[in-house]
Amino acid sequence: RVGTSRRVTINDIAAATGVAASTVSRALSNPGRVNRVTRERIEAAARELKYVPNVQARALTSGRTQTIALLVSDVTNPFYFGLMRGTQQQLKAASYAQLLFDTEDSPDLETTILAKMRQLIDGAILAASRLPDRALDRIAAEVPIVAINRTVRGVQSVVIDSPAAIAQAT
């Protein structure tokens, strides 16, 4: 039995089930590649040992973190409440986690956050980015981004159609 002082690993599950760590890894990350009986035994042991996948280790092998950063210019602005909740719900439905950052209306802080988080995220959603178009284009070449209410050539975007909304409201 694994003590509570350290994290349970796939090696612990392998020892508990009598299979190789590589089989445990396959069963947990690509279940179709392991026969049903073995997979079920591994899954039961993982539950019993309270195994939590190491996101960083998985990212090293898969290149994916299942994490998206949401950067807003001012987290206290009520405009962003719906955006924060909506992106979180959609990301959760797709088995992604959302990291929320308040850039404090600062292009320097926005740049710093994206640079520090680059290895920890699969992409970023930038709401009201304060960065110049060239900077956004450069960042988009390194990490997938979506700009909210901003159109920059070469960058995915979602733009509110204000004129159409006003016409519908009137």
Side-chain angles (χ1 to χ4, degrees):
R1 177 128 174 114
V2 175
T4 58
S5 63
R6 72 172 183 86
R7 181 183 200 117
V8 174
T9 69
I10 62 172
N11 291 323
D12 299 319
I13 298 169
T17 56
V19 300
S22 59
T23 303
V24 173
S25 177
R26 272 194 308 283
L28 298 176
S29 63
N30 195 353
R33 293 188 56 209
V34 177
N35 80 54
R36 183 185 56 77
V37 173
T38 302
R39 184 184 71 242
E40 288 173 357
R41 193 171 78 227
I42 289 168
E43 289 169 348
R47 279 190 305 276
E48 182 182 320
L49 294 172
K50 295 180 175 52
Y51 172 72
V52 176
N54 183 325
V55 175
Q56 292 170 324
R58 185 172 283 177
L60 286 174
T61 57
S62 71
R64 312 289 274 154
T65 63
Q66 298 290 112
T67 304
I68 301 294
L70 172 62
L71 284 73
V72 298
S73 59
D74 178 3
V75 76
T76 64
N77 183 334
F79 172 80
Y80 294 120
F81 296 163
L83 177 68
M84 291 183 287
R85 177 60 56 89
T87 54
Q88 180 171 308
Q89 288 173 341
Q90 292 302 310
L91 290 168
K92 185 172 108 181
S95 299
Y96 276 76
Q98 174 174 284
L99 294 177
L100 175 62
F101 294 96
D102 184 337
T103 63
E104 302 170 9
D105 288 315
S106 167
D108 292 337
L109 182 55
E110 192 172 337
T111 301
T112 300
I113 290 168
L114 288 168
K116 286 183 177 181
M117 299 308 296
R118 191 165 289 134
Q119 300 302 315
L120 303 174
I121 60 174
D122 290 338
I125 301 167
L126 309 178
S129 175
R130 302 298 190 238
L131 294 173
D133 288 1
R134 279 169 58 216
L136 285 177
D137 189 44
R138 224 177 7 261
I139 291 166
E142 297 175 20
V143 62
I145 62 172
V146 175
I148 305 293
N149 267 352
R150 175 96 179 263
T151 304
V152 177
R153 187 181 182 135
V155 175
Q156 297 293 317
S157 64
V158 175
V159 179
I160 296 171
D161 187 356
S162 296
I166 291 169
Q168 288 177 4
T170 56

